[in-house]
Amino acid sequence: MNSLRSLISAVPAGRRLVDRFVAGGCADGTTAAVATVERLDAVGLHALVELVAEEPRDAAAAERAVQLGLSLLDEVHAAGFAPRSEMLVRLAALGARFDGRLALDNAWRLCAAAEQCDTALTLDLGEYAGLAVLDELRHTWPAIGVVLRAHPARSEKTARALAVPGSRVRLAQAEQGAAHDNDLAYVRCANALLEGDGSPAFATADARLHRIIRERAKWYGRKQDDYEIQLPAGADGTALAAEGETVRVHVPFHEPDNGTARRALVSRS
């Protein structure tokens, strides 16, 4: 397949894309990213490769994030691991802070690349956009996933609205608030997603929540290949996979010397 960078967007010749993993060890370059995906694949695990970028202040910086994403998709596809891999990108990394239309267009480009690569893409809308952005993208790219954080006050209703046929939802834990309240909210949202008709993924390192999710999945008649458990970078998911669960491990990925992105990632992991 021709390079996605030449198929989807024009890039100044010779631009050097250098990237780095954070958490669970550091490595440079897309080759290292693919190597991590390959190691996960070898033990029966899937990969969630997150494009982590400092929030851009202009279109040029947003374009660098897009090119990094396109490069990684290209490399994963060329290595043959695309069907077992998924990309996660925050809308903020694509320019949402200063230009919502530009961020949406950039997300559209990554969706097009992911489809060409036979890879899924999940979008974290963050604070800059509502579900209307997701609806607009899903008109063309119905397979795009979305991140939902389990906030006690408001997320269960959203989970039920998203739990429709073909909808992919990554349920993440809230980043602030009381742990007990957040856990209860997470379980309520998990129930709503499992009861519905979508394809949920449960992002948590909490083994207690894993047990609850697996029990509730059986209660709602879900088969093990009908949902995912997603673990943070460096976590060992082989035991869960050996028990028949579909397990996807977070693989954060970004350009070097990006201290802000590194701090943001550590706070979310």
Side-chain angles (χ1 to χ4, degrees), residues 1-8 70-79 82 112-119:
M1 186 184 78
N2 292 331
S3 170
L4 287 170
R5 284 165 290 181
S6 62
L7 288 171
I8 297 174
L70 295 176
S71 178
L72 185 62
L73 287 168
D74 201 5
E75 294 287 342
V76 170
H77 179 271
E115 182 176 79
Q116 275 197 313
C117 287
D118 192 26
T119 303

Side-chain angles (χ1 to χ4, degrees), residues 231-244:
L231 301 178
D236 183 1
T238 54
L240 282 169
E243 294 176 359

Side-chain angles (χ1 to χ4, degrees), residues 127-152:
E127 62 183 293
Y128 297 111
L131 294 178
V133 169
L134 180 68
D135 291 340
E136 185 168 348
L137 286 167
R138 280 182 171 174
H139 283 309
T140 306
W141 313 109
I144 187 173
V146 66
V147 173
L148 173 65
R149 287 184 176 79
H151 292 288

Side-chain angles (χ1 to χ4, degrees), residues 201-212:
F202 301 102
T204 175
D206 190 328
R208 182 172 53 91
L209 289 177
H210 293 163
R211 289 193 295 272
I212 293 171

